[in-house]
Amino acid sequence: MSKALLIVESPAKAKTINKYLGSDFEVKASLGHVMDLPPNRLGVDLEHDFSPEYQVIEGKEKIVRELQRAARQAEAIYLAPDPDREGEAIAWHIARQLGGDPEKYHRVLFHELTKPAILKAVQHPQHLNENSFNSQQARRVLDRLVGYQISPLLWDKVKRGLSAGRVQSVALRLVVERERAVKSFISEEYWTLESELQACNPPLFKARLQRLNDKKFDPHSQDETEQAMASLQGQAFTVNKIIRRERKTAPAAPFITSTLQQEAFRKLGFEPKRTMSLAQKLYEGQETEEGQMGLITYMRTDSTRLAEEAVKDVRAFIAKRFGPEYVPSRPQVYKAKAMAQEAHEAIRPTSVLRTPESLLKYLKKDELALYRLIWNRFVSCQMAMAVYDQTQVDIQSGPGLWRASGQVMRFPGFTAVYVEGYDEGQKGKSQNDEEPLNLPPLEEGQTLVNLKFLPKQHFTQPPPRFTEASLVKELEDKGIGRPSTYASILSTLQDKEYAAKYNRRYLVPTSLGEIVNDLLVENFPQVMEVNFTARLEDSLDQVEEGKEDWKKLLRVFYQPFSAALNKAKIQMRQVKGKGLPAGIDCPHCARPLNIRLGKHGEFLACSAWPECNYTSDFERDDKGAVIPVAGPELPEEKCDKCGAPMIVKKGRFGLFLACSAYPKCRNNIPLDANGQPMEASSWEELKDKCPKCGSALLLRTSRAGNKFIACSAYPKCRYATSPPLDVACPECGGQLTEKRSRRGKAFYGCNNYPECKFASWDKPVDHICPACGGKIMLEKVTRQGKSSLLCPNSECKYSMVKE
């Protein structure tokens, strides 16, 4: 009897689903997309109405053949990629590759991976959603048109390897404009005046001056504040009015993708990319005491809707754990944003009874932290409001009106479980943002004693720089992109070195990012316009709802874009080779300096090069002005080859002295950790010759104090490597050396490579294994700094603590 075939994206998801479907189904994984636009060309037929030229992704041919073989034997095919636009595209492409009778295909949407949800979805399959697929196609083609046609322009005008993106570049613009707002901000002085007061009974309390002579008190100098203090000195302080009222605050809505990313950054310090990776694992299934199952609902959603059964279960849980007074009379319902896909649910645990404590031994630390965040937010969103007693006291003293206010919590409600975090500069630090009130018993008309005035100087603050959380919020508020893309956008900005982390928290644009942003804004104002990008997102949502034709959307976009592209090819400023004006003059010839891009980053160079060869590193002050920082010419250090002055430069191995007559003279001297020229005696000449040019090899010391081997013919020959370890290769007897992978990670390999392919991530140590007699052991260092020795023999695996 033939089985039904069910296809999902990931093996982890397949494992969870297979457990519940049993022998009637064969569950296969496609490992993501199987088709896409070609990687090395545009792949969009502009002559035939933007027809996408899809092809099987390189490396996926074997998976496609396996799926085709399984499909030929299946009586029905259930396509169950993720329940979003990307998942719909995967389903359509799989169906296209498998072929056959269209009636054989069924679309299955798993919003959570639990037995009831899986069985229900399979029993009630849907048809493939063409509108959702077209929306994804339009998005993919738009991104390809922008990325593959603007990026080569940046390669030509700035440097190779750069990229532009329909949403990515607008996000970069937000970061650049915020940084410029911070640097151009002019801080203004202002003052506040408080009074420490005493009533008949303790405690003492403070009140702030609000009005003076029936005008708002808003002093901007110490003189104004002192004049106010003089006019109030000796005045009687009398309680004028007391207002007491009840204040209620509602819990935050359950998580959607964007709010999960924001809150995970605020409370756990997780970058959006990390958050989504962990959430994917929790959704696809984890081993628990009940077996393999999904722990949260689908994590790419913009809907705050909750299933009735889930709400019923959590209300019962709240009543049992916290008491009936914590359960509101009616379930909390949250308004979804416009265009939210209400077929989805909010992100919640698949069972409220599966508490974080019950998963302690099944989840890793970060997985458990994120699950606890999701669980707490879900439980709190269905709890009663928090109730505060709020008191405001107005106090009169002659021409001055003072005010003391605050609140005390009467009923914690949802705050017993969860309080939402906040970003720097965000109004209202949290739902409980006022200080607890601590006032003595007061009555209207009561006289108070002014113990002392408390003047305080303040300065206005610039807008806060974006964190990853606040940038996600800004993108969402402005309708730029969609929550499922935010993590990749933030990663790309940093991977392409358009933005970097300041104090490991704040996103600031690099000079490269500012250059790219300015060029794009100048030449593609429509693509870089925030409101245009938001309207385009709305149009893509209209395509998904079947209200707009996706080919028409592309035609409307491409006509002005194509005109701007052709114009930019001619008019875009050339940065490569010339650089951008730095705003300061050359100290040698008084001509303008330019900021140029080199192998090791940006540097200052004279615009009169090669007539004037002045170069320097630079930094920026608080206002963004360029300040040269490279060392001056050192008259006492003359080139020993041509007699010209030596100047300080920065290279791959740190600072060094270079001849100012470069490129006529290429002499250079490395500097030690103290910035002093290294003596030739500190260069040890080795017996071995350079494998590239045959020159002598030198054992040198970097500025950081690390030993390395370099060719004596540098910079003509740039061969460099780490010195060999004092350990012989256990396989061929050659020398083991430290090497670097393509991604820059250190590993250890044999110098006889490729004949000998011994390699290890851990450092080899000349120590015989006591168990098997192996020639070496590997030193493994834990995060706590503890070292142990492991035998590399897979059959031995002996380990010991390193002495």
Side-chain angles (χ1 to χ4, degrees):
M1 181 179 177
S2 58
K3 296 182 178 181
L5 174 64
L6 187 140
I7 302 173
V8 295
E9 292 111 317
S10 74
K13 194 174 174 182
K15 180 181 177 182
T16 302
I17 294 170
N18 192 49
K19 172 186 172 184
Y20 297 116
L21 292 183
S23 59
D24 292 338
F25 282 81
E26 182 180 11
V27 183
K28 292 276 189 180
S30 68
L31 300 181
H33 283 272
V34 296
M35 298 183 73
D36 198 4
L37 299 175
N40 52 2
R41 57 188 175 88
L42 183 63
V44 178
D45 193 340
L46 301 177
E47 303 298 324
H48 294 86
D49 210 14
F50 305 98
S51 178
E53 301 170 0
Y54 293 116
Q55 64 182 38
V56 175
I57 296 171
E58 186 178 355
K60 290 292 185 76
E61 296 87 355
K62 182 179 178 182
I63 292 171
V64 170
R65 288 195 298 270
E66 289 177 356
L67 294 177
Q68 289 171 338
R69 188 162 48 248
R72 285 193 290 269
Q73 301 171 0
E75 59 181 12
I77 300 172
Y78 293 82
L79 301 173
D82 288 344
D84 56 15
R85 300 182 188 100
E86 289 297 319
E88 200 66 38
I90 293 172
W92 276 79
H93 289 151
I94 290 174
R96 175 177 168 180
Q97 285 299 309
L98 301 187
D101 184 4
E103 297 298 320
K104 196 176 181 180
Y105 292 96
H106 308 282
R107 180 73 168 109
V108 178
L109 304 177
F110 294 130
H111 296 289
E112 61 180 83
L113 297 184
T114 58
K115 183 175 181 179
I118 291 170
L119 296 179
K120 182 178 179 181
V122 171
Q123 290 165 6
H124 301 88
Q126 303 176 12
H127 296 293
L128 288 169
N129 188 330
E130 186 173 5
N131 290 332
S132 183
F133 175 50
N134 286 338
S135 177
Q136 192 277 345
Q137 282 197 108
R139 200 176 294 271
R140 187 75 183 94
V141 171
L142 279 171
D143 291 342
R144 179 56 68 100
L145 291 174
V146 172
Y148 268 53
Q149 293 189 292
I150 295 183
S151 297
L153 199 56
L154 294 177
W155 301 351
D156 181 53
K157 301 293 185 180
V158 186
K159 63 181 281 191
R160 289 196 65 82
L162 302 183
S163 72
R166 180 179 59 87
V167 178
Q168 162 201 318
S169 298
V170 179
L172 173 62
R173 181 176 186 177
L174 294 177
V175 175
V176 170
E177 290 182 348
R178 176 61 61 87
E179 184 66 17
R180 288 174 177 170
V182 170
K183 289 180 176 178
S184 63
F185 182 82
I186 299 175
S187 184
E188 295 182 1
E189 179 185 10
Y190 71 98
W191 287 70
T192 57
L193 180 59
E194 290 185 331
S195 176
E196 187 172 53
L197 301 172
Q198 182 180 43
C200 298
N201 298 304
L204 304 180
F205 67 99
K206 295 176 184 177
R208 178 170 292 188
L209 183 61
Q210 302 291 320
R211 301 183 70 82
L212 184 65
N213 296 319
D214 292 327
K215 294 181 181 179
K216 182 181 178 182
F217 182 64
D218 187 22
H220 288 80
S221 68
Q222 185 175 355
D223 288 343
E224 291 179 69
T225 308
E226 289 177 346
Q227 289 173 17
M229 290 166 58
S231 68
L232 295 167
Q233 192 71 45
Q235 298 282 355
F237 281 68
T238 306
V239 176
N240 188 29
K241 183 168 51 175
I242 300 176
I243 301 174
R244 295 184 176 91
R245 56 176 172 260
E246 180 183 86
R247 174 174 172 249
K248 294 182 178 181
T249 57
F255 282 133
I256 59 176
T257 304
S258 58
T259 54
L260 176 63
Q261 292 174 3
Q262 293 167 45
E263 202 71 341
F265 181 85
R266 294 170 187 148
K267 290 184 176 288
L268 305 176
F270 294 166
E271 296 179 351
K273 185 176 181 180
R274 176 68 173 155
T275 298
M276 296 309 292
S277 174
L278 293 169
Q280 183 86 32
K281 293 177 182 178
L282 295 176
Y283 163 72
E284 290 184 344
Q286 297 284 324
E287 194 65 40
T288 70
E289 60 185 6
E290 305 165 62
Q292 179 91 4
M293 65 177 58
L295 299 180
I296 64 170
T297 52
Y298 189 57
M299 65 285 162
R300 293 185 182 91
T301 176
D302 53 7
S303 170
T304 54
R305 185 184 70 82
L306 293 170
E308 290 184 12
E309 191 65 29
V311 172
K312 180 181 175 182
D313 290 345
V314 74
R315 284 169 63 85
F317 177 87
I318 294 167
K320 183 176 180 181
R321 172 169 285 199
F322 298 97
E325 67 274 18
Y326 282 84
V327 183
S329 57
R330 288 183 296 181
Q332 303 274 21
V333 178
Y334 297 91
K335 184 179 179 181
K337 295 190 176 182
M339 307 305 293
Q341 301 179 60
E342 287 298 298
H344 293 173
E345 270 195 79
I347 303 170
R348 63 168 176 84
T350 52
S351 171
V352 71
L353 301 178
R354 209 168 287 118
T355 63
E357 292 73 25
S358 69
L359 299 173
L360 277 171
K361 61 181 180 180
Y362 299 105
L363 298 181
K364 295 178 182 176
K365 180 182 177 182
D366 287 354
E367 292 171 347
L368 183 64
L370 188 66
Y371 180 80
R372 178 177 281 110
L373 192 73
I374 294 168
W375 188 92
N376 287 345
R377 177 83 163 225
F378 170 62
V379 172
S380 72
C381 83
Q382 291 302 314
M383 294 178 74
M385 294 185 181
V387 182
Y388 301 89
D389 285 330
Q390 203 169 43
T391 303
Q392 177 181 301
V393 182
D394 287 354
I395 302 162
Q396 195 74 40
S397 67
L401 176 67
W402 305 74
R403 180 167 294 160
S405 62
Q407 65 184 16
V408 290
M409 181 181 286
R410 194 200 321 159
F411 176 66
F414 69 92
T415 64
V417 174
Y418 186 87
V419 177
E420 188 175 25
Y422 64 94
D423 296 314
E424 181 184 344
Q426 183 178 332
K427 287 184 179 180
K429 294 181 181 178
S430 70
Q431 290 129 324
N432 181 22
D433 59 353
E434 289 194 35
E435 294 295 327
L437 184 66
N438 193 14
L439 288 177
L442 296 173
E443 295 178 0
E444 292 184 4
Q446 181 177 348
T447 300
L448 306 172
V449 178
N450 175 28
L451 298 179
K452 59 183 174 181
F453 289 123
L454 301 169
K456 188 173 183 180
Q457 183 186 36
H458 307 270
F459 292 93
T460 55
Q461 298 297 310
R465 290 183 170 97
F466 285 119
T467 62
E468 294 197 348
S470 60
L471 182 56
V472 166
K473 188 175 189 303
E474 186 80 359
L475 292 170
E476 183 184 31
D477 290 345
K478 293 184 178 298
I480 301 169
R482 283 297 174 258
S484 58
T485 64
Y486 293 156
S488 61
I489 290 169
L490 294 174
S491 295
T492 301
L493 290 181
Q494 295 171 75
D495 293 343
K496 293 294 181 182
E497 298 182 353
Y498 292 159
K501 289 281 183 67
Y502 171 67
N503 285 346
R504 298 186 178 183
R505 180 174 179 85
Y506 301 103
L507 288 170
V508 295
T510 61
S511 294
L512 175 62
E514 294 194 60
I515 290 169
V516 169
N517 173 75
D518 292 345
L519 292 176
L520 294 179
V521 171
E522 290 168 11
N523 294 277
F524 300 95
Q526 186 181 49
V527 173
M528 294 292 288
E529 210 267 311
V530 171
N531 292 332
F532 172 78
T533 306
R535 291 194 299 271
L536 195 57
E537 290 293 342
D538 291 339
S539 297
L540 290 166
D541 289 337
Q542 294 287 336
V543 171
E544 186 166 10
E545 293 192 358
K547 298 177 181 178
E548 188 167 341
D549 180 69
W550 72 285
K551 292 286 186 74
K552 180 182 176 182
L553 184 153
L554 294 173
R555 287 193 293 271
V556 171
F557 168 82
Y558 194 71
Q559 186 176 0
F561 173 74
S562 178
L565 186 68
N566 292 330
K567 188 177 179 181
K569 290 177 180 178
I570 301 171
Q571 297 185 357
M572 183 179 282
R573 288 180 292 151
Q574 184 75 35
V575 177
K576 182 188 288 186
K578 294 183 178 180
L580 293 176
I584 55 176
D585 293 332
C586 176
H588 286 187
C589 67
R591 280 174 281 196
L593 289 177
N594 289 337
I595 299 174
R596 296 181 58 179
L597 299 172
K599 290 182 179 179
H600 309 294
E602 299 162 318
F603 65 97
L604 291 176
C606 184
S607 58
W609 190 88
E611 181 182 338
C612 175
N613 59 10
Y614 174 83
T615 61
S616 168
D617 285 331
F618 70 93
E619 59 185 23
R620 294 181 184 269
D621 63 16
D622 293 339
K623 301 299 180 184
V626 171
I627 303 173
V629 296
E633 289 187 1
L634 303 177
E636 67 275 11
E637 288 292 340
K638 299 288 186 180
C639 176
D640 57 7
K641 292 187 176 181
C642 72
M646 301 293 280
I647 58 176
V648 178
K649 290 192 174 183
K650 184 179 180 181
R652 179 182 175 189
F653 301 109
L655 297 179
F656 65 97
L657 287 177
C659 182
S660 58
Y662 178 88
K664 292 180 180 178
C665 176
R666 295 176 177 267
N667 186 28
N668 63 83
I669 303 173
L671 299 178
D672 62 21
N674 298 317
Q676 297 301 312
M678 294 174 63
E679 298 293 333
S681 59
S682 65
W683 307 356
E684 180 184 344
E685 185 168 341
L686 303 177
K687 295 180 180 179
D688 297 328
K689 300 297 181 182
C690 175
K692 285 190 174 182
C693 70
S695 301
L697 289 177
L698 302 175
L699 179 62
R700 301 175 64 175
T701 305
S702 72
R703 186 167 181 263
N706 299 318
K707 298 283 186 180
F708 68 98
I709 294 174
C711 180
S712 59
Y714 179 85
K716 288 184 179 179
C717 176
R718 294 178 176 269
Y719 174 80
T721 185
S722 298
L725 303 176
D726 192 19
V727 181
C729 175
E731 295 185 4
C732 72
Q735 284 286 335
L736 295 181
T737 61
E738 182 181 338
K739 300 185 177 184
R740 295 278 167 178
S741 68
R742 290 180 180 177
R743 296 187 177 182
K745 186 176 179 181
F747 72 98
Y748 300 89
C750 183
N751 65 349
N752 288 330
Y753 178 85
E755 287 77 15
C756 177
K757 297 187 177 181
F758 174 84
S760 170
W761 293 115
D762 299 313
K763 184 178 180 179
V765 178
D766 189 13
H767 192 292
I768 296 175
C769 175
C772 69
K775 298 179 180 178
I776 67 168
M777 296 189 77
L778 304 178
E779 181 180 358
K780 198 169 188 70
V781 182
T782 67
R783 290 182 180 179
Q784 292 75 30
K786 297 180 180 179
S787 297
S788 59
L789 298 180
L790 306 176
C791 180
N793 185 348
S794 59
E795 297 180 358
C796 176
K797 295 183 179 180
Y798 175 82
S799 66
M800 59 184 288
V801 177
K802 183 183 177 184
E803 296 180 2

